[in-house]
Amino acid sequence: MKVIEIKNVVKIYNDSEVQVHAVNGIDLSFEEGEFAAIVGPSGSGKTTLLNMLGGLDNPTEGDILINGFSVSEMYNGIEKHRSRISPVLKTIFRITIIPAVIRGIVKLPDIVKRMKAERKLIDFRLNNIGFVFQSYNLLPVLTARENTELVMQMQGVSKEMREKRTKELLGAVGLGDRLDSRPSRLSGGQQQRVAVARALASKPRFILADEPTANLDSKTTENLLDIMEQLNKMEKITFIFSTHDARVVRKARRVITIEDGKVISDKKTA
Amino acid sequence: MILLIGWKNVWRNRTRSLVVIIAVMLGIFGGVMATGIMQGWIEQRIHDCIYKEVAHVQIHNPEYMYNEEIQHTITDYEKLANILDTLPEVVAWSPRVKLFVMAKTSWTASGFVLKGVDPEKEMQVSELYQDLAEGDFLEGEHRRPSIVIGSKAAENLKLLNYEITSEKLDSIDKEVFSAGLVEKLKTLNKKRFRNEKDFRDELKKVLAKREMNEYGDKLVKYFSFYRMGTSIQVTMQNKSGEIMNLVFKVRGVYKTFNSVFDAMNAYVDRDILNRYTDLAGNEVHEVAVITADNETGVKVADKLSAYLPEQDIMSWRKSSPEMAMYTDFSAVMAYIYVAIILFALAFGIINTMMMSVLERIKELGMLMAIGMNRKRVFGMIMTESVFLTLTGAVAGMIFSGVMVELFRRTGINVEMWSEGMEALGYASVIYPSVSLGNYMGITILVIITGVVSAIWPARKALKLNPVEALRTE
Ligand SMILES: Nc1ncnc2c1ncn2[C@@H]1O[C@H](COP(=O)(O)OP(=O)(O)O)[C@@H](O)[C@H]1O
Ligand SMILES: [Mg+2]
């Protein structure tokens, strides 16, 4: 069953007059249970593509379907409510320097609608996608346990369930004895494993990891990949990760190579 | 969890948070003190005004209010006395004969209000006897009758003199005044001065300029004395309109915080005065009433007006309308002061929260990416700000509570401005007075400031685009 379908996606950044085609026409799809690597040199468009897969960014052209839901459609739902003050009113605001408060009040209904539409998207991400970032990005004030629980709490999972699952997950990534450590007391590899546990906590359909091993040495890279592979095999969790590290690529069962925003090869191994 | 993160975030940058917490604490302290001092001042002023000047209720013959002449005494004094004795709210009352007189000493003359009072009754409605600088309040029998005058009147009548005597030189504080200084002062031994200026001029001649600047005021105060027992000739009209001259001896000098009052009011025994003015014992111009408290005073005035429609009855509010005005004015001043403090505080909080948001852009981007909606992000930052101010507010409440209690015991000395203050009737030692309502009010205002100040930084966080935020380093 397809979890992600990428349909002729283009992403153009308008960077000070110059148009950057970060993603330049990609067609791909991912099945449930895949363990796929997106490989390419720096600047090839990996992060841009993963962001769109995660619903963090809107394709300029084409569409992405996640579980059948259109990312473009969700973004259009938000953009529809971009405040449409009449040009006349806008000019009046500008000339009279009407305080921000009044402007805010005029825009309020649109803002509320937009926030509602956006919340749909955020909740969609919360419940369907797990994220792992290159620089771990744990909350430094929370312990490993609290970092993992946070997502479930936002989902409204009961306390017992949260505690049980947090212990399971941190145990699965080999941190059963570091539950109450803060990130600053953990090594880079350990922090990234907490990040994997956090990504799994919400029971997402798939996990997106943007260069998860880029900040790790080879031994911890190996260890993290083993854990990911195990989770993928035992728990049937779909992993899509980007990398430009050959050792990581070797572990992947599908390797998609991109260059200049285009797929140049898509190979399945074993 | 949002609350937990908010609380933990407060302590992320300890120094920065502590600065804000201390600022909030001092802000509350400043606000509480400002209000406390203002209120303490006003309460003292109102207390003095009532217990030394106007009492809670004053009763006059309406005629007397238009024309303060000797024959306009209260009608049906017996009925009034009866009512005052039976009303349970009345704590004490005192009848007064009130005449406008000219007073003369061998050196000068001055006009004032001569009040004939029954000393025992007067001492129950007026605390003036507690403010005697010298002498007593109409005690004992004397061949020449006694008069009690105010310190300002004594000064005006040149009864405040200055003399360096060997006894005073002997008992001078050797710690403060050096032996050399005392030697210089000895040259002025036994010279008497009738006013401060002459004494100062003379001091200037024998003392170095530096010594004069440092000790001048202290010396003037130390060597001053009231010429007790001096005769004062009082000129007035008796009941039949004849001009009378009476001689009293100064046997008491009082000094309140109100120098205008001190200049104007003198007290003698009513019985003695009546002998010369031909007024009978039931002929008085004014009756002063003291009740349990200020508000009861106003109620009693209304009650008496109903019982005694033929008299002019004034509560302290009516006889001293400026007191009510002072109260309002002080409240306005306190609010302005608190507003300034809050304004400064708002800047501190905005700055701190803004820095707190700006250095966490990446983290906020991550939270939004993994599914924290904007309402929660906003809530998290607001919580942080509220916790920050709340911590400061609690610390500030405790700190100012302790300080106010301390100052209530010792009083705050504002002697350096006391000249000007006393001319306005204010004490030079202030006992701050703060109600629980004041505390709550100021604390709530501070917390509101914390919340409002966080809106801008929180809005900044709301506007973040998670993708861009995550790309920042
Ligand atoms: N916000 C942006 N504005 C303008 N250009 C961008 C932006 N984000 C990425 N790019 C450009 O898009 C291209 C692809 O970037 P990225 O997806 O980060 O590649 P990778 O992750 O493979 O290194 C790069 O040329 C980069 O400079
Ligand atoms: Mg990248």
Side-chain angles (χ1 to χ4, degrees):
Chain A
M1 186 195 160
K2 279 183 185 143
V3 274
I4 302 172
E5 273 183 88
I6 306 170
K7 290 181 175 170
N8 200 17
V9 160
V10 175
K11 180 72 189 178
I12 302 170
Y13 287 114
N14 290 308
D15 196 13
S16 57
E17 309 291 309
V18 191
Q19 280 199 342
V20 181
H21 286 70
V23 169
N24 201 358
I26 288 184
D27 270 298
L28 276 175
S29 60
F30 293 92
E31 302 282 326
E32 206 156 52
E34 280 203 56
F35 197 65
I38 296 172
V39 188
S42 182
S44 55
K46 305 184 292 293
T47 299
T48 307
L49 182 62
L50 282 177
N51 282 344
M52 288 188 290
L53 295 187
L56 291 172
D57 217 345
N58 186 18
T60 315
E61 282 171 32
D63 197 5
I64 294 174
L65 301 179
I66 302 169
N67 279 345
F69 287 96
S70 158
V71 171
S72 301
E73 220 164 81
M74 282 191 273
Y75 269 95
N76 289 341
I78 299 170
E79 287 308 308
K80 200 168 70 193
H81 301 294
R82 186 163 289 291
S83 123
R84 281 155 306 171
I85 307 177
S86 69
V88 181
L89 214 56
K90 228 175 200 165
T91 324
I92 292 172
F93 280 152
R94 201 158 294 151
I95 296 169
T96 54
I97 323 174
I98 287 176
V101 185
I102 297 176
R103 268 182 278 171
I105 291 169
V106 173
K107 289 189 198 163
L108 200 63
D110 278 338
I111 292 174
V112 169
K113 277 186 211 150
R114 239 174 86 202
M115 275 178 72
K116 252 192 197 152
E118 197 196 44
R119 187 159 170 186
K120 232 194 241 163
L121 176 67
I122 292 177
D123 284 346
F124 182 80
R125 284 204 297 263
L126 174 66
N127 295 316
N128 292 284
I129 308 162
F131 289 92
V132 176
F133 307 94
Q134 178 178 338
S135 45
Y136 331 134
N137 286 5
L138 299 174
L139 270 194
V141 292
L142 299 185
T143 61
R145 183 211 297 271
E146 290 164 341
N147 263 294
T148 313
E149 266 189 60
L150 179 63
V151 201
M152 289 186 273
Q153 188 146 37
M154 291 192 286
Q155 284 178 310
V157 178
S158 76
K159 197 169 153 62
E160 303 99 78
M161 284 292 287
R162 278 190 334 242
E163 276 170 10
K164 188 165 159 269
R165 188 158 171 78
T166 301
K167 270 197 195 129
E168 273 172 21
L169 287 170
L170 286 172
V173 297
L175 290 170
D177 55 342
R178 303 305 300 268
L179 295 179
D180 294 311
S181 300
R182 288 211 186 182
S184 57
R185 326 221 85 217
L186 297 173
S187 71
Q190 288 171 325
Q191 287 187 55
Q192 199 61 304
R193 281 186 272 151
V194 176
V196 170
R198 176 180 68 188
L200 285 166
S202 63
K203 298 195 175 165
R205 298 299 303 272
F206 58 92
I207 287 180
L208 298 173
D210 191 11
E211 306 205 32
T213 61
N215 290 0
L216 303 179
D217 60 41
S218 47
K219 200 158 170 264
T220 40
T221 297
E222 190 97 7
N223 176 262
L224 184 78
L225 280 163
D226 285 344
I227 287 169
M228 283 165 59
E229 206 175 10
Q230 204 161 8
L231 287 164
N232 171 261
K233 280 188 178 143
M234 317 285 267
E235 319 271 332
K236 303 268 176 290
I237 289 159
T238 313
F239 273 94
I240 302 168
F241 50 92
S242 73
T243 188
H244 54 245
D245 184 341
R247 287 164 305 174
V248 178
V249 178
R250 257 186 273 131
K251 295 262 182 186
R253 288 204 307 279
R254 179 181 174 187
V255 179
I256 300 153
T257 312
I258 61 172
E259 243 180 77
D260 293 333
K262 283 190 178 122
V263 176
I264 54 168
S265 79
D266 183 353
K267 287 182 200 136
K268 290 200 171 128
T269 57
Chain B
M1 186 68 97
I2 296 284
L3 294 184
L4 181 75
I5 298 174
W7 173 248
K8 288 188 169 181
N9 278 340
V10 169
W11 301 106
R12 216 152 142 177
N13 190 328
R14 264 162 217 266
T15 326
R16 201 170 62 201
S17 295
L18 271 177
V19 167
V20 175
I21 286 168
I22 289 170
V24 170
M25 191 176 105
L26 293 178
I28 290 187
F29 174 63
V32 166
M33 273 321 258
T35 337
I37 287 174
M38 282 289 186
Q39 272 169 197
W41 236 348
I42 296 301
E43 276 171 22
Q44 167 262 321
R45 183 71 188 91
I46 290 177
H47 179 94
D48 283 359
C49 178
I50 288 171
Y51 286 89
K52 283 164 191 167
E53 301 170 28
V54 300
H56 282 126
V57 184
Q58 284 189 0
I59 301 152
H60 298 98
N61 180 338
E63 291 285 329
Y64 183 82
M65 300 312 287
Y66 292 111
N67 191 352
E68 291 155 323
E69 290 199 9
I70 187 164
Q71 65 271 23
H72 294 147
T73 52
I74 291 174
T75 52
D76 212 349
Y77 175 71
E78 282 74 16
K79 183 184 173 193
L80 170 64
N82 227 325
I83 290 172
L84 291 176
D85 282 337
T86 47
L87 268 185
E89 297 98 320
V90 172
V91 173
W93 61 278
S94 172
R96 294 166 178 166
V97 166
K98 225 169 135 184
L99 303 172
F100 291 81
V101 303
M102 275 305 290
K104 232 167 73 184
T105 60
S106 316
W107 308 281
T108 181
S110 168
F112 49 61
V113 180
L114 188 67
K115 289 178 181 166
V117 297
D118 302 348
E120 243 120 76
K121 285 191 162 180
E122 183 67 15
M123 279 156 82
Q124 285 180 312
V125 301
S126 162
E127 292 177 350
L128 202 70
Y129 69 95
Q130 295 174 356
D131 289 337
L132 287 174
E134 243 177 295
D136 54 55
F137 193 79
L138 307 176
E139 280 174 26
E141 298 273 327
H142 302 276
R143 203 175 56 80
R144 281 258 186 242
S146 307
I147 186 166
V148 176
I149 61 173
S151 62
K152 195 72 195 170
E155 213 176 299
N156 293 344
L157 291 170
K158 307 244 187 290
L159 297 182
L160 180 59
N161 285 189
Y162 304 85
E163 186 176 1
I164 296 177
T165 61
S166 25
E167 301 93 72
K168 277 206 171 174
L169 275 178
D170 286 342
S171 55
I172 200 165
D173 192 344
K174 302 277 185 326
E175 309 249 313
V176 181
F177 306 99
S178 71
L181 194 79
V182 173
E183 280 308 312
K184 284 182 186 170
L185 292 173
K186 272 186 184 156
T187 58
L188 295 177
N189 201 348
K190 284 273 174 313
K191 256 199 206 165
R192 184 178 277 201
F193 303 90
R194 296 215 188 284
N195 66 51
E196 193 183 326
K197 190 177 169 296
D198 294 348
F199 184 54
R200 271 185 191 274
D201 288 346
E202 204 66 20
L203 279 178
K204 268 183 210 155
K205 284 183 199 157
V206 296
L207 296 184
K209 197 161 185 175
R210 190 188 52 78
E211 288 172 324
M212 193 60 202
N213 283 341
E214 194 164 350
Y215 301 112
D217 292 342
K218 284 180 188 148
L219 291 171
V220 165
K221 204 165 177 185
Y222 185 68
F223 290 109
S224 71
F225 69 99
Y226 295 105
R227 290 179 55 121
M228 302 302 286
T230 308
S231 294
I232 294 183
Q233 194 193 59
V234 172
T235 308
M236 62 198 178
Q237 280 188 333
N238 74 1
K239 204 179 160 189
S240 23
E242 294 160 30
I243 302 290
M244 305 285 296
N245 281 317
L246 256 98
V247 177
F248 292 96
K249 272 188 188 287
V250 176
R251 293 211 178 81
V253 176
Y254 66 84
K255 185 169 171 44
T256 69
F257 296 123
N258 186 347
S259 49
V260 177
F261 181 84
D262 292 1
M264 282 301 295
N265 294 274
Y267 294 79
V268 298
D269 193 290
R270 186 162 71 101
D271 287 338
I272 295 168
L273 192 61
N274 282 358
R275 270 180 239 155
Y276 299 93
T277 54
D278 298 337
L279 287 171
N282 64 357
E283 289 181 300
V284 300
H285 300 111
E286 179 175 287
V287 167
V289 181
I290 285 292
T291 59
D293 57 65
N294 299 355
E295 288 319 305
T296 313
V298 178
K299 281 183 208 131
V300 167
D302 290 343
K303 229 177 193 176
L304 287 173
S305 302
Y307 291 150
L308 301 158
E310 67 277 15
Q311 312 287 7
D312 180 272
I313 290 163
M314 278 193 302
S315 72
W316 61 276
R317 284 244 167 104
K318 224 163 131 197
S319 51
S320 292
E322 71 276 13
M323 287 301 126
M325 210 181 69
Y326 285 159
T327 314
D328 296 345
F329 177 70
S330 80
V332 170
M333 286 299 287
Y335 278 126
I336 290 175
Y337 194 75
V338 168
I340 292 171
I341 290 173
L342 292 180
F343 197 67
L345 221 53
F347 272 97
I349 296 167
I350 288 175
N351 184 49
T352 303
M353 291 312 296
M354 197 55 111
M355 273 161 68
S356 167
V357 165
L358 290 182
E359 67 187 22
R360 289 212 297 263
I361 284 186
K362 192 167 185 174
E363 186 178 310
L364 292 167
M366 177 277 289
L367 286 170
M368 286 158 98
I370 67 169
M372 186 180 269
N373 60 46
R374 288 178 198 265
K375 215 157 95 188
R376 287 195 170 112
V377 173
F378 189 78
M380 187 175 76
I381 288 162
M382 294 306 269
T383 314
E384 187 176 335
S385 181
V386 168
F387 275 138
L388 190 66
T389 26
L390 207 61
T391 309
V394 170
M397 290 257 280
I398 295 170
F399 181 64
S400 40
V402 170
M403 291 308 274
V404 166
E405 196 46 46
L406 213 77
F407 281 128
R408 275 168 71 88
R409 288 189 194 157
T410 62
I412 301 166
N413 204 326
V414 289
E415 217 163 44
M416 51 257 206
W417 313 305
S418 73
E419 286 276 309
M421 288 298 168
E422 286 182 15
L424 294 171
Y426 288 96
S428 54
V429 176
I430 302 158
Y431 297 88
S433 149
V434 188
S435 65
L436 193 67
N438 293 144
Y439 274 119
M440 299 319 272
I442 290 167
T443 306
I444 288 168
L445 282 177
V446 166
I447 291 168
I448 290 174
T449 306
V451 171
V452 172
S453 310
I455 289 179
W456 191 28
R459 214 176 75 106
K460 187 111 190 157
L462 283 190
K463 286 194 162 177
L464 288 178
N465 174 339
V467 177
E468 278 160 27
L470 277 167
R471 273 189 201 269
T472 56
E473 267 325 300

